[in-house]
Amino acid sequence: MARHDSSSHPTGRRALALLATAGAALGAGASAAAADTQPVLDVVRTRPTSIGQIDPQSGVQGALASLPYVTGAVSSLQPNPLAGTGVDPLDNGVGTQLADFQPLTSQALTGPVAQARSIGSIPVLGQVTGLLGGR
């Protein structure tokens, strides 16, 4: 009769109890270790220091020297990863015509982006990345 009253998974319950006990012991040990540490900065005893001689021109030169690498990487990115697929949102267009003026469509704006192979090949953005040192 005692066999029927016991749990069907005693090993699993023992393992969970062991894990819970180990977790509690680790948590208690970690909190005790954290209480013994000194503060990283003692705000009361620190004194202000000067940042020394900073040359802003060298910082600007470093930023400008890295600019061609950044613009080169950006200009080779594909602007429209869905181009040529059936779900390309830039492939759609809206048009209107007022009186006898020529019709106006949104494809005049979205066409260069939808069909561009890279950001550098988009008319205005390609010129800007070229000026900034891109390919």
Side-chain angles (χ1 to χ4, degrees):
M1 210 51 173
R3 177 103 174 126
H4 295 286
D5 290 338
S6 66
S7 171
S8 62
H9 301 289
T11 308
R13 287 191 181 190
R14 284 186 202 147
L16 287 175
L18 179 68
L19 285 174
T21 305
L26 284 174
S31 63
D36 290 340
T37 61
Q38 296 293 327
V40 176
L41 288 176
D42 191 3
V43 180
V44 177
R45 292 185 222 158
T46 58
R47 42 184 184 158
T49 60
S50 70
I51 54 176
Q53 299 290 352
I54 294 180
D55 185 17
Q57 194 171 25
S58 65
V60 171
Q61 287 174 349
L64 291 177
S66 64
L67 195 60
Y69 298 105
V70 173
T71 56
V74 168
S75 67
S76 63
L77 290 176
Q78 184 181 7
N80 185 14
L82 297 174
T85 64
V87 293
D88 184 7
L90 297 176
D91 195 28
N92 298 328
V94 177
T96 186
Q97 182 176 3
L98 298 172
D100 18 332
F101 295 109
Q102 287 188 348
L104 246 117
T105 65
S106 64
Q107 288 179 336
L109 294 174
T110 60
V113 177
Q115 298 164 359
R117 291 186 168 195
S118 66
I119 289 179
S121 66
I122 297 175
V124 175
L125 289 177
Q127 294 168 351
V128 169
T129 56
L131 289 175
L132 293 176
R135 298 180 217 177

